Amino acid sequence: LPELPEVETVRRGLEALYVGRRLLSLEVSGRRTVRRHPPQLLDRLAGSVLVGASRHGKYLLLRWNGRRALVVHLRMSGQLRVAEPRSPLAPHTHAVFRFVDAPELRFVDPRTFGELFLAGAGRPLPAELSHLGTDALQAGVADVAAITRGRKAPLKALLTDQQLIAGVGNIYADEVCFSAGLRPDRPAGSLSQGEVRRLAVSLGRVLEAAIAAGGSTLADRRYLDVQGAAGSYQLEHKVYGRAGHACLRCGGVVQKLKIGAKSAYACLNCQR
DNA sequence: CGATTATCCTGTGCGC
DNA sequence: TGCGCACAGGATAATC
């Protein structure tokens, strides 16, 4: 669900509300949400002050005084939501952050793919995240050229490979490919220099526009920001989820393709 | 090394 | 209306 624009929107919400605040307690229930290390390690965070909320790709990094970083990944269905302390816990609430002079923050995640873990304070990234590629917002023409050069794999598979470029998922890969006029199933290495440039420009433009819109909230409303507000970039989707509808640019029919196990949406007239 | 596949879960929406 | 099944925005380990 959440890709870079949604995670960035959550990050901004956390930064506005919680940076500078002291954590009273972090309570975790269940075994799956904290699974990389014993959950008791998180007890060390109580009393710490949140000094920064950053993001790399789809990972959130909450940095605390005392040189610790709490990493949060929402995966398919995770949400971080501000809540009144006495309001009833939503189903699938797996963690509750209590702060001094700030509202409660709750981690809700029906599918339990999301996770929290304590990481080192390495800069720019803790060792646990060192496998990630360049953040997609920072990726330029040279980065895009480097990951596509000589590759036989479909363009979309590379765009969504977090070890190459971090932050792009299924929705934005399709939207970026449309914006660049490139088929998502093009062998990545077949792109010309001009196409690589177009792809890099589209990557930045689509992600920036999606952040400006607060991300994409689909019909199931599985993505909402920390205050529970929906994003609006779904209204600007050109191809994602539009199979059978008219292409907004040429009037042709948007197709649903299969690339590996994932579906992809594209206009085969506008994208080549 | 690069590419596919299976897996972790719950919820939803579709066809019958 | 009810049921079963395919599928969903992700990451990663295993396999060929």
Side-chain angles (χ1 to χ4, degrees):
Chain A
L1 160 127
E3 304 181 27
L4 186 151
E6 290 77 30
V7 177
E8 175 62 16
T9 304
V10 169
R11 187 201 70 74
R12 292 178 184 186
L14 294 175
E15 183 172 63
L17 275 170
Y18 296 110
V19 167
R21 302 295 177 180
R22 186 176 301 275
L23 186 72
L24 272 174
S25 66
L26 170 52
E27 282 185 27
V28 175
S29 53
R31 269 197 326 282
R32 268 184 61 79
T33 297
V34 177
R35 51 184 181 265
R36 295 205 191 192
H37 59 62
Q40 304 87 283
L41 278 190
L42 295 182
D43 295 344
R44 298 179 187 174
L45 284 181
S48 302
V49 172
L50 186 68
V51 296
S54 61
R55 179 196 58 71
H56 190 94
K58 303 171 193 171
Y59 288 84
L60 281 167
L61 286 103
L62 302 181
R63 295 187 181 273
W64 308 84
N65 67 335
R67 301 175 3 94
R68 300 180 198 286
L70 181 71
V71 178
V72 182
H73 198 303
L74 305 173
R75 294 281 182 104
M76 299 285 274
S77 62
Q79 288 189 11
L80 283 169
R81 295 286 297 278
V82 171
E84 288 297 321
R86 280 182 300 279
S87 66
L89 283 188
H92 309 294
T93 298
H94 305 304
V96 176
F97 299 71
R98 292 188 186 83
F99 288 86
V100 178
D101 293 332
E104 200 164 285
L105 182 69
R106 298 176 181 174
F107 179 71
V108 181
D109 184 15
R111 289 179 75 176
T112 71
F113 289 174
E115 64 170 330
L116 314 182
F117 62 92
L118 207 50
R123 296 271 180 179
L125 283 182
E128 291 85 344
L129 301 184
S130 61
H131 63 288
L132 293 173
T134 312
D135 184 77
L137 268 190
Q138 313 297 328
V141 180
D143 299 291
V144 173
I147 67 157
T148 52
R149 186 177 302 129
R151 300 295 202 106
K152 226 173 79 175
L155 186 51
K156 177 166 179 175
L158 299 193
L159 286 175
T160 55
D161 184 337
Q162 305 302 301
Q163 306 200 32
L164 300 177
I165 285 189
V168 178
N170 217 29
I171 293 179
Y172 295 103
D174 284 358
E175 293 298 320
V176 167
C177 286
F178 177 83
S179 168
L182 297 169
R183 287 178 61 128
D185 55 355
R186 268 279 290 276
S190 73
L191 301 201
S192 69
Q193 276 192 359
E195 287 173 330
V196 166
R197 178 171 300 277
R198 259 160 45 207
L199 184 60
V201 170
S202 292
L203 182 65
R205 283 197 186 145
V206 167
L207 294 176
E208 296 281 4
I211 291 169
S216 300
T217 296
L218 303 187
D220 59 15
R221 295 178 67 80
R222 265 212 286 203
Y223 161 71
L224 298 171
D225 73 12
V226 293
Q227 305 278 14
S232 64
Y233 193 71
Q234 68 282 0
L235 304 174
E236 299 176 52
H237 289 176
K238 302 293 192 294
V239 285
Y240 182 82
R242 298 195 64 251
H245 290 86
C247 171
L248 297 168
R249 182 170 164 273
C250 77
V253 180
V254 175
Q255 306 293 321
K256 183 174 185 172
L257 316 173
K258 274 281 176 206
I259 299 179
K262 299 284 182 184
S263 52
Y265 299 89
C267 170
L268 301 185
N269 181 41
C270 294
Q271 299 172 249
R272 309 227 168 221

